[in-house]
Amino acid sequence: TVKFLSMNDPYDTFPISTSTDEEGRFSLDSLAEGRYEVTVIHNELAMSEFPIWTDLHPDAENVLTIYMTAGGTVSGAVREMTSDEGIFAATIQVGGVKDGIWTIFRAKSDESGHYVIAGLPSGRFNVWASPPDGYVVNAEAAALREITLSKRDSIENIDFLLSASTAISGAVVDE
């Protein structure tokens, strides 16, 4: 998927997206003149430069070549702290500043609590888990993890422990 985010209009926060064909070609013919941030999302590859900025002009041939490289992979599991059972639908995020831009990659844990985030660019990142409904982050066991990725790196066993949430009820009364 190739995404174009307009830098011309501060209120336009939704990127225009298109998919590539089998040979990696793409085309969009409904973009306004101006500056765009371009990103590519791929399951296994990462952008060599991230992000790319381009200026589009109506009287010019607007052709963009985006170079991709083998990306890094982060994987692990999200488990319940007391039972050690996998937690479904936790959101795992890998985030950091890449070329001056804050960037976040996300994945959801599967039925057994496992996750994989592939196609990550090289760099230093933080990894953290956000709990699904019914769970809370345990401050000690779900701490932020710092990682450094190079091309083709595979960092495994970045695991997180979450706790089941509990409830309380009561009343506030006037004495």
Side-chain angles (χ1 to χ4, degrees), residues 66-131:
I66 302 169
Y67 294 96
M68 305 293 286
T69 185
T73 302
V74 172
S75 63
V78 181
R79 303 199 174 286
E80 202 282 324
M81 187 168 211
T82 56
S83 70
D84 201 39
E85 291 183 21
I87 296 175
F88 175 67
T91 303
I92 299 78
Q93 300 178 87
V94 175
V97 176
K98 181 72 175 156
D99 298 325
I101 305 294
W102 177 254
T103 305
I104 297 180
F105 301 86
R106 294 180 180 87
K108 293 275 188 185
S109 57
D110 65 17
E111 296 81 16
S112 61
H114 293 97
Y115 71 91
V116 175
I117 303 175
L120 297 169
S122 299
R124 292 177 49 108
F125 297 96
N126 293 314
V127 184
W128 67 96
S130 299

Side-chain angles (χ1 to χ4, degrees), residues 14-26:
F14 298 102
I16 298 170
S17 299
T18 188
S19 295
T20 61
D21 64 16
E22 301 82 31
E23 296 176 4
R25 293 181 302 231
F26 65 92

Side-chain angles (χ1 to χ4, degrees), residues 119-163:
L120 297 169
S122 299
R124 292 177 49 108
F125 297 96
N126 293 314
V127 184
W128 67 96
S130 299
D133 288 342
Y135 295 92
V136 294
V137 173
N138 179 301
E140 294 175 20
L144 193 69
R145 310 286 168 44
E146 292 184 17
I147 62 168
T148 300
L149 282 171
S150 297
K151 283 187 202 179
R152 296 183 174 90
D153 271 357
S154 181
I155 300 176
E156 300 174 347
N157 301 320
I158 305 287
D159 298 337
F160 297 94
L161 295 173
L162 302 178
S163 299

